[in-house]
């Protein structure tokens, strides 16, 4: 397929390389030209404008930070939509909101341009291995037509058509919201339990074996507990963006979400304390700091050791 890719960051970089590896013809664009070096080395064409991407592609994928970036790239001056040909398809894989894509679709449909939302889960690691989980919203026939492109980036078993336009964004926002809730709840429990004198390894093992266990406890939290790795491949600025969008969506559909609003505030506190570029798991450190502990299992240098007298 002739594919265009806009936004070559932590996710879009490896995703576009997987499209190339699968044999697709690729045209790429990023405001940071240097982000395209590896793609160009592997045979991609580097476009100097967004319109040039459209001119060389039947399908254009965007993987941009926020809904504001998506709207600017699609509908702004020299934007993508105005340059796309009849019969071509725009797939937005960013974590964004239905409202922006609705505005794009209102203009795209009369021009015969197809639209899909297809945000992803699986972190930069999944983007590199081509095993992302992809949640697609839109028409079934369009999804089927775009499957070869999606399969180059995601696990074929976990590319899910989740409903009409906007459903992909909604599923993705709800996944992130629940994951961030797990992170904050787990941080509180581990900090309180160890501060109460329970060995961290014993506490963690007990929780995993209990009815309160979760995938987060069994797997995701281990990067912090083993390595002190708060996952800088997903920046706090983006995590806070996702939480804000999830809470906004709840407001839009009229569902009160006290817990989610609170988790959003904890995340905003983490961003204020450790910065925009800190990793998405850094809110755990808020609890480590307040309890005067480092939550580390014995395979690392220290187990929940006291760092303040
Ligand atoms: P990133 O900031 O690393 O990459 C974004 C890229 O877009 C950058 O290279 C930037 O230069 C480029 N860009 C910004 N404005 C542009 C414009 N006007 N035209 C062209 N390029 C532009 O972000 P990321 O971590 O790759 O995330 C991208 C999207 O994927 C976000 O919506 C994020 O929420 C979502 N996401 C990220 C992860 C993750 O683990 N990083 C996981 C799932 C989903």
């Amino acid at each position: 397929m002739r594919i265009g890719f806009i936004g070559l960051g932590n996710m879009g970089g490896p995703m576009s390389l997987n499209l190339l590896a699968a044999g697709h013809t690729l045209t790429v664009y990023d405001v940071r030209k240097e982000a395209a070096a590896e793609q160009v080395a592997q045979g991609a064409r580097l476009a100097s404008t967004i319109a040039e991407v459209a001119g060389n592609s039947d399908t254009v994928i965007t993987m941009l930070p926020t809904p504001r970036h998506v709207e600017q790239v699609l509908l702004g001056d020299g934007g993508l939509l105005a340059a796309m040909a009849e019969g071509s398809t725009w797939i937005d894989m960013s974590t964004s909101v239905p409202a922006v894509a609705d505005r794009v679709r209102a203009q795209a449909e009369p021009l015969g341009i197809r639209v899909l939302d297809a945000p992803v889960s699986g972190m930069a690691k999944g983007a590199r291995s081509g095993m992302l989980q992809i949640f697609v919203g839109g028409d079934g026939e369009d999804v089927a037509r775009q499957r070869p492109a999606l399969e180059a980036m995601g696990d074929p078993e976990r590319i899910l058509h989740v409903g009409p336009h906007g459903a992909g964004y909604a599923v993705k926002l709800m996944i992130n919201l629940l994951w961030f809730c797990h992170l904050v709840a787990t941080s509180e429990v581990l900090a309180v339990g160890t501060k109460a004198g329970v060995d961290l390894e014993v506490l963690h093992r007990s929780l995993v074996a209990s009815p309160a266990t979760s995938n987060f406890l069994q797997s995701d939290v281990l990067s912090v507990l083993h390595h002190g790795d708060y996952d800088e491949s997903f920046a706090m600025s983006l995590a806070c963006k996702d939480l804000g969008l999830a809470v906004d969506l709840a407001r839009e559909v009229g569902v009160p979400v006290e817990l989610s609003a609170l988790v959003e505030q904890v995340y905003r506190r983490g961003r204020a304390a450790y910065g925009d570029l800190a990793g998405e798991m850094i809110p755990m450190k808020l609890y480590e700091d307040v309890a005067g502990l480092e939550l580390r299992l014995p395979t690392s240098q220290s187990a929940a050791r006291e760092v303040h007298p």
Side-chain angles (χ1 to χ4, degrees), residues 134-285:
I134 306 181
F135 310 98
V136 197
D139 291 347
E141 281 181 17
D142 293 333
V143 180
R145 245 193 315 275
Q146 298 301 325
R147 232 182 138 82
L150 298 175
E151 286 190 359
M153 299 176 282
D155 175 355
E157 303 287 309
R158 299 194 304 158
I159 298 171
L160 303 177
H161 182 200
V162 292
H165 293 290
Y169 292 133
V171 170
K172 169 61 186 169
L173 288 177
M174 293 306 100
I175 289 170
N176 279 21
L177 177 56
L178 187 56
W179 194 87
F180 295 135
C181 289
H182 277 293
L183 181 137
V184 171
T186 301
S187 305
E188 288 193 3
V189 163
L190 294 181
V192 173
T194 48
K195 194 72 181 171
V198 185
D199 175 79
L200 177 62
E201 194 180 15
V202 172
L203 176 63
H204 181 257
R205 209 175 337 114
S206 307
L207 289 166
V208 166
S210 81
T213 192
S214 65
N215 185 60
F216 186 87
L217 261 172
Q218 289 169 33
S219 161
D220 295 349
V221 75
L222 295 177
S223 72
V224 174
L225 301 192
H226 282 311
H227 311 293
D229 174 359
Y230 299 93
D231 185 22
E232 287 179 8
S233 71
F234 189 55
M236 277 296 279
S237 55
L238 292 178
C240 288
K241 177 257 315 187
D242 288 358
L243 275 164
L245 296 179
V247 172
D248 284 349
L249 187 62
R251 189 177 296 115
E252 221 173 275
V253 298
V255 177
V257 288
E258 292 88 348
L259 178 62
S260 309
L262 204 57
V263 168
E264 185 197 4
Q265 295 302 318
V266 173
Y267 260 76
R268 288 181 53 196
R269 179 173 294 280
R271 182 181 183 179
Y274 308 113
D276 284 358
L277 297 180
E280 62 177 330
M281 296 177 79
I282 203 77
M284 288 191 71
K285 192 161 159 46

Side-chain angles (χ1 to χ4, degrees), residues 29-30 34 46-47 58 63 76 121 134 141 150 167 221 247 287 289 294:
Y29 177 82
D30 193 293
E34 68 277 12
L46 175 60
D58 303 312
M63 193 55 172
S121 270
I134 306 181
E141 281 181 17
L150 298 175
V221 75
V247 172
Y287 294 88
D289 287 355
E294 245 181 18

